[in-house]
């Protein structure tokens, strides 16, 4: 099996505690907001997923970044990425190009063979995830990496 884009089921929200994680990251909410509908790229056979979890507010921060989680073999790896030069600026570009730079990876102190496996799996999932997983996909999207 391979990665596929889908909305996260209610069962998987509870299984992976996405509701609790959202509330922890957003203490301004007293309960889950109506717009809470997480999505991901998941490979059920390998019990792994790639999911966007956070991002910088461009009105507040100088560098616009996005955090993604790779869950694999019971462990979470967090990647902070920013768009590189050369990304498409309009949705009508064909192909629509996304190029990522890596700002940091957590944990950072992985043994080199494990780090290579984690990075390869993350890139595979993020290529399928594309623009915004099932939430908003742009036809003919190409995802590239500068790491």
């Amino acid at each position: 099996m391979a990665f596929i884009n889908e909305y996260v089921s209610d069962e998987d929200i509870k299984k992976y505690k996405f509701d609790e994680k959202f509330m922890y990251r957003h203490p301004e909410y007293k309960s889950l907001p109506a717009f809470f509908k997480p999505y991901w790229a998941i490979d059920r056979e390998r019990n792994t997923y790639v999911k966007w979890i956070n991002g910088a507010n461009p009105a507040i921060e100088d560098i616009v970044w996005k955090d993604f989680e790779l869950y694999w073999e019971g462990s979470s790896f967090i990647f902070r990425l920013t768009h590189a030069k050369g990304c498409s600026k309009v949705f009508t570009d064909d192909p629509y190009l996304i190029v990522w730079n890596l700002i940091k990876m957590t944990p950072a102190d992985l043994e080199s063979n494990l780090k290579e496996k984690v990075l390869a799996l993350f890139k595979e999932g993020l290529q399928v995830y594309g623009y915004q997983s099932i939430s908003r996909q742009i036809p003919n999207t190409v995802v590239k990496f500068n790491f």
Side-chain angles (χ1 to χ4, degrees):
M1 194 168 194
F3 281 98
I4 59 167
N5 289 322
E6 65 180 31
Y7 287 103
V8 182
S9 69
D10 290 341
E11 295 80 24
D12 283 333
I13 287 172
K14 296 292 184 202
K15 176 181 177 180
Y16 295 104
K17 300 180 181 178
F18 291 157
D19 50 352
E20 293 175 24
K21 291 175 184 177
F22 179 89
M23 295 302 295
Y24 176 78
R25 285 193 308 275
H26 299 282
E28 66 272 22
Y29 292 101
K30 302 296 181 217
S31 62
L32 288 174
F35 66 80
F36 181 75
K37 182 127 177 105
Y39 46 86
W40 58 10
I42 184 165
D43 183 329
R44 292 193 184 281
E45 187 173 291
R46 293 186 281 184
N47 189 27
T48 188
Y49 65 77
V50 171
K51 182 181 177 312
W52 173 78
I53 57 171
N54 207 0
N57 181 339
I60 299 172
E61 305 205 34
D62 293 334
I63 298 174
V64 178
W65 50 264
K66 291 186 177 187
D67 284 347
F68 289 89
E69 176 186 20
L70 168 70
Y71 177 87
W72 178 55
E73 294 190 351
S75 297
S76 288
F77 304 89
I78 308 300
F79 297 83
R80 179 159 291 175
L81 306 176
T82 187
H83 284 116
K85 290 183 180 181
C87 288
S88 290
K89 302 279 189 236
V90 294
F91 294 137
T92 55
D93 282 355
D94 189 10
Y96 184 83
L97 182 61
I98 301 171
V99 184
W100 290 111
N101 285 330
L102 178 65
I103 297 174
K104 71 177 181 177
M105 175 182 163
T106 307
D109 59 347
L110 298 176
E111 175 262 315
S112 65
N113 282 347
L114 177 58
K115 185 175 182 176
E116 286 178 27
K117 288 178 185 176
V118 167
L119 283 170
L121 190 58
F122 176 65
K123 289 177 181 179
E124 179 186 341
L126 202 55
Q127 285 175 323
V128 172
Y129 184 93
Y131 181 71
Q132 273 186 334
S133 181
I134 198 166
S135 171
R136 178 154 189 213
Q137 203 52 260
I138 299 169
N140 205 17
T141 296
V142 174
V143 180
K144 295 184 177 185
F145 307 92
N146 286 337
F147 59 92

